[in-house]
Each structure stands twice: as C-alpha cells, then as structure tokens.
Amino acid sequence: MGSGCLKVTKYFLFLFNLLFLILGAAILGFGIWILADKTSFIAVLQMSSPSLKTGAYILIGVGALTMLMGFLGCLGAVNEIRCLLGLYFSCLMIILLAQIAAALVIYFQKETLKAELSKEVVKLIEDYDPADEDRRNLRDAWDYVQAQIACCGWTGAKEWESNEIIRNKSNTEYPCSCSNRSKDLVEGRGFCNLEEPVNGTATYADWPVHEQGCMDGVEQWLKDNLGIILGVCTGVAVIELLGMILSISLCKNIHSEDYTKVPKS
C-alpha cells in the first residue's frame, strides 16, 4: 500500500512540475514582452512608471526560477531525491510569499500608479508632434490605445485642446486616432482636418471624436477582465500549494519506504 501511494504521489508531482515548466516559460515570455513591446499601452505605462520595468525584470526572474523549480521537482520526483524535494518545497514557498507581497504592493500603490500615469499621458498629449521621431514609439502606443479602446484623451477630448499644434491651428485639427469616422482611422495617427468650416475658433465639441476618456476605458477593461485575472492568479496559487503538499508527502513516503527497508537486527 505504501509503495503504491509513493508511485502515485511521485507521478502526480512529476505532472505538476511539467505544468510549472510551462507556467515558468509563460511568465518569462510575459516579462520579455513587457520590455520589448513598443506599440501598445504597455509602452505608455513604462514611461509613466519606472516600477513597471522593474516589475518586468522581476517577472523574468520569477519565470526563470519557476522553470528551474519545475526541472528540480521533476528530477527529485523521478529519482526520489529528498534534498531536491526539500529545496523544491522551500523555493515554492518563497515564490508564493513573493507573489502575495507583490499583489499587496500593487493593490496599495494603485492610486499612486494611476496619478503617475495620468500625469504622463497629459504631458504626452500636450507635446504630441507627428514630426518628432524621438517619441514616435510612445505616440504610436497612445494612438493604438485610443483607436482600440475607442476613447480620446485621458479624461476626455478636451485635453487635446492643450496641444500646441492644435492650438496654433485654432483647433481645426484633431487626433485621427480619436476619430469615430472609419476613414480617419485608416490613417490612425497624426492629425486630421475638420471638413466643415467653423466660425471663429473651433472647440473639441466640433471634432468627430469619441467622448469617452481613456481612463474610463482602461478601468472598464480591467473590470471586464477582472474575473480572468483573478482566476489565473488563483489557479497559479492553487498549483503551487498542491506542489508543496505533494513534495512534502513524497518526502515522507520516501522516508517511510527507506525506514521499512532497514534490516531488523
């Protein structure tokens, strides 16, 4: 009975560690994507908060460590090496505690991150210049966000009135990525011209753009996907806890098995 329990535990732990290898590769890839991506909202987040880049390096480190733990767990389970299983259990506990700590930091710092992001986006809108090649990646990222979420500005289209180029054109131009007309979205970047003349200085109310600010759109996206995010995080935590339980169980079974093999005097 003990031998059968040992085999079942060993193979279950081996399967769990295969999942850990895949999970580690996914975390590692996600961290690399955050650093490499220059055409989506991630690029804007990086500019607004240096902590995101630090977080990406942490993800890469955690992903690499998770893959290593998966390998050690597989090796320890197949060969029934107690010291590797003990190391595996300890590292899993450290990773789980680190994830809990990171989640708490993000939760309590969310307002600070939101304020930093708002400040950076407002500055980006004020300085937006299609001729500035140095900030092209950041401009393209923000155009992508506005076009995909169907929003304009951070809190609304009025923020674009503070842009120097638009102000110099008496507000007769507007950002193409904000437009609710399909022909403007074909261009998707830079400024588009008002087709109908306006007496005096135009305002954002004369532009054919989306009324919703991107802040509301981003928050709505997070709310819509909160279930998926929490589900993934919970799933990872459950897998880690099961891995810890199986590794301790296997260690005990190996110890019991070795004890029964000791010849009686």
Side-chain angles (χ1 to χ4, degrees):
M1 188 74 175
S3 178
C5 182
L6 178 64
K7 287 182 179 179
V8 170
T9 305
K10 181 170 70 174
Y11 290 125
F12 263 111
L13 186 58
F14 180 79
L15 289 174
F16 266 93
N17 281 291
L18 285 180
L19 289 177
F20 263 97
L21 280 170
I22 297 170
L23 176 65
I27 295 173
L28 181 67
F30 184 59
I32 294 173
W33 172 69
I34 290 176
L35 291 177
D37 185 33
K38 303 296 181 185
T39 59
S40 71
F41 193 55
I42 296 295
V44 181
L45 286 173
Q46 284 193 52
M47 291 296 295
S48 66
S49 179
S51 59
L52 183 68
K53 187 173 288 187
T54 304
Y57 286 118
I58 292 173
L59 283 175
I60 292 172
V62 169
L65 182 61
T66 303
M67 291 181 70
L68 178 61
M69 289 303 97
F71 173 75
L72 291 177
C74 286
L75 193 62
V78 170
N79 295 301
E80 300 179 11
I81 305 173
R82 293 189 66 199
C83 63
L84 280 182
L85 290 172
L87 178 63
Y88 172 75
F89 173 85
S90 301
C91 289
L92 268 186
M93 180 177 286
I94 291 171
I95 291 173
L96 184 59
L97 291 175
Q99 288 171 341
I100 293 172
L104 290 173
V105 168
I106 291 172
Y107 178 78
F108 288 112
Q109 292 293 318
K110 61 182 180 180
E111 291 302 322
T112 302
L113 179 60
K114 183 177 177 181
E116 289 177 352
L117 180 57
S118 176
K119 182 180 177 181
E120 183 63 31
V121 171
V122 170
K123 185 176 184 301
L124 170 63
I125 289 172
E126 291 176 351
D127 299 336
Y128 187 101
D129 182 359
D132 184 5
E133 289 297 321
D134 293 336
R135 294 171 65 86
R136 180 176 179 178
N137 288 335
L138 194 56
R139 284 199 320 274
D140 288 347
W142 185 243
D143 284 332
Y144 175 85
V145 170
Q146 291 190 139
Q148 291 297 312
I149 301 182
C151 58
C152 194
W154 185 239
T155 58
K158 184 176 177 58
E159 289 174 338
W160 278 99
E161 289 186 341
S162 62
N163 178 268
E164 185 177 355
I165 295 175
I166 292 178
R167 199 166 56 240
N168 291 339
K169 296 289 184 66
S170 300
N171 292 342
T172 57
E173 291 187 353
Y174 57 91
C176 297
S177 57
C178 281
S179 180
N180 54 25
R181 299 190 303 188
S182 57
K183 66 177 183 178
D184 290 336
L185 292 176
V186 173
E187 176 61 28
R189 64 183 67 180
F191 298 118
C192 295
N193 293 306
L194 281 173
E195 292 183 351
E196 298 179 3
V198 177
N199 293 327
T201 302
T203 66
Y204 74 95
D206 299 310
W207 300 341
V209 298
H210 299 290
E211 295 181 1
Q212 181 189 27
C214 293
M215 179 179 69
D216 296 333
V218 171
E219 289 181 347
Q220 187 60 46
W221 181 88
L222 289 173
K223 288 178 182 177
D224 293 342
N225 293 275
L226 186 61
I228 297 173
I229 295 170
L230 289 176
V232 170
C233 293
T234 303
V236 170
V238 168
I239 290 174
E240 288 172 345
L241 283 172
L242 286 175
M244 291 168 64
I245 293 169
L246 286 172
S247 62
I248 285 295
S249 176
L250 185 56
C251 269
K252 287 184 176 180
N253 282 328
I254 291 172
H255 178 70
S256 300
E257 192 78 8
D258 290 342
Y259 182 76
T260 57
K261 289 179 181 177
V262 177
K264 296 180 179 179
S265 55

